[in-house]
Amino acid sequence: MTTSMHDDSAILRGESLTLRYDAREITHGLDIAIPAGRISIIVGPNACGKSTLLRALSRLLAPSSGRVLLHGRDLRDWKARDLARTMALLPQSSIAPQGISVADLVSRGRYPHQSLLRQWSPEDERAVDAAMADTWISDLADRPVHALSGGQRQRVWLAMTLAQDTPLVLLDEPTTYLDIAHQLELLDLCRHLNRTKGRTLVMVLHDLNLAARYADNMIAMKAGAIVATGTPAVVLTRERIAQIFGMDSLVMPDPVTGAPMVVPVSSQTGAYA
């Protein structure tokens, strides 16, 4: 299924997006639609604009031209607190304040829900406890974040994102630093949140086979442009993989899930043939 730019089911849309870092243009006139209630995964080679696009969709990067719409409303018109109650972002890398404990950092995910009239509540406590349990860090609650391994810190940041309890979650390479078992557990958790709580998830992944297993909607990028969007079966063909990655491959059904499984054959550069 391909999501049209004007599909009413899209919770988040980018229209004619031109994105830059200083003088360098990353994308030009890009359109994207994120369907509500689905798991959308952005794939593509290094430096193709995946993370840049995610930053623009989350309002961390202002487009040079074009606009991003959330629920049909220009992202620039959202108040910061209202946006933080609707959308959460897990970036590629974050730095925790020195000496902060795991529980304290995860609790910061509840800040958008606080106000002068609404202070810390049992609901906040439950959200933090559930987020830590879901990310397997409850036993680390009192540990300082800086003393944890890279994989443990990644799970702490994910827990803070989940504690924010938003209907839309954006994740940039959430499996970074995680071993294969925890990668699968994390992606299983994402699918559980989608299937049982209806959360819309958008993530950037490098691993095509993991992306194929978990994506309802796959978005393939190359050189700042979207070259294909749809189900993994539509996007991950041998011809398109060669077009995007410059790689010959075999595409066959995953024996566990039936999703497309990509088996690399060789680089098409021939540099070391």
Side-chain angles (χ1 to χ4, degrees):
M1 174 181 173
T2 300
T3 302
S4 163
M5 257 301 301
H6 302 290
D7 188 339
D8 289 339
S9 70
I11 186 174
L12 187 64
R13 295 200 307 273
E15 296 181 347
S16 303
L17 292 176
T18 296
L19 306 175
R20 297 177 181 272
Y21 283 125
D22 297 323
R24 181 179 171 224
E25 186 173 277
I26 309 298
T27 75
H28 180 79
L30 181 147
D31 293 334
I32 185 171
I34 302 299
R38 311 287 293 281
I39 298 176
S40 293
I41 299 183
I42 305 171
V43 299
N46 291 339
C48 71
K50 302 185 298 295
S51 294
T52 300
L53 175 58
L54 206 68
R55 286 173 60 83
L57 293 177
S58 65
R59 207 169 72 173
L60 282 183
L61 177 66
S64 299
S65 62
R67 60 179 185 166
V68 177
L69 302 173
L70 174 61
H71 290 303
R73 181 180 167 197
D74 195 311
L75 213 56
R76 291 169 292 194
D77 295 335
W78 284 73
K79 294 181 179 178
R81 185 177 294 273
D82 291 339
L83 184 62
R85 290 172 176 169
T86 306
M87 177 196 301
L89 170 69
L90 176 66
Q92 269 192 21
S93 58
S94 302
I95 299 175
Q98 185 65 27
I100 193 171
S101 72
V102 167
D104 285 345
L105 184 59
V106 176
S107 296
R108 294 193 175 196
R110 300 301 299 168
Y111 280 7
H113 301 275
Q114 308 298 308
S115 68
L116 290 175
L117 298 178
R118 185 191 182 283
Q119 299 299 309
W120 192 260
S121 70
E123 180 184 347
D124 296 317
E125 196 72 35
R126 285 192 294 271
V128 169
D129 289 345
M132 290 197 295
D134 285 342
T135 51
W136 329 287
I137 60 169
S138 298
D139 59 332
L140 304 176
D142 297 324
R143 295 270 301 276
V145 174
H146 74 266
L148 303 180
S149 70
Q152 289 171 326
R153 285 196 299 272
Q154 183 73 352
R155 286 185 275 149
V156 173
W157 287 110
L158 176 62
M160 189 186 78
T161 304
L162 297 182
Q164 202 168 324
D165 195 23
T166 58
L168 174 60
V169 183
L170 280 58
L171 308 105
D172 194 357
E173 288 292 339
T175 56
T176 300
Y177 303 119
L178 300 182
D179 59 48
I180 185 61
H182 280 116
Q183 288 180 34
L184 291 173
E185 287 180 343
L186 184 148
L187 292 170
D188 282 342
L189 169 61
C190 288
R191 184 161 57 191
H192 173 76
L193 293 171
N194 170 259
R195 301 299 193 255
T196 64
K197 298 186 178 181
R199 295 196 193 184
T200 301
L201 289 99
V202 187
M203 66 181 82
V204 170
L205 285 183
H206 274 296
D207 190 309
L208 290 180
N209 291 327
L210 285 179
R213 274 195 177 199
Y214 290 93
D216 300 311
N217 179 53
M218 182 173 283
I219 300 158
M221 294 187 66
K222 181 181 181 181
I226 293 176
V227 297
T229 181
T231 64
V234 167
V235 173
L236 293 180
T237 65
R238 184 174 185 174
E239 295 75 20
R240 189 163 282 129
I241 292 167
Q243 172 195 0
I244 297 169
F245 293 95
M247 177 183 74
D248 190 21
S249 62
L250 299 176
V251 181
M252 58 190 68
D254 184 315
V256 176
T257 66
M261 184 174 72
V262 178
V263 180
V265 174
S266 66
S267 164
Q268 294 183 337
T269 64
Y272 301 100

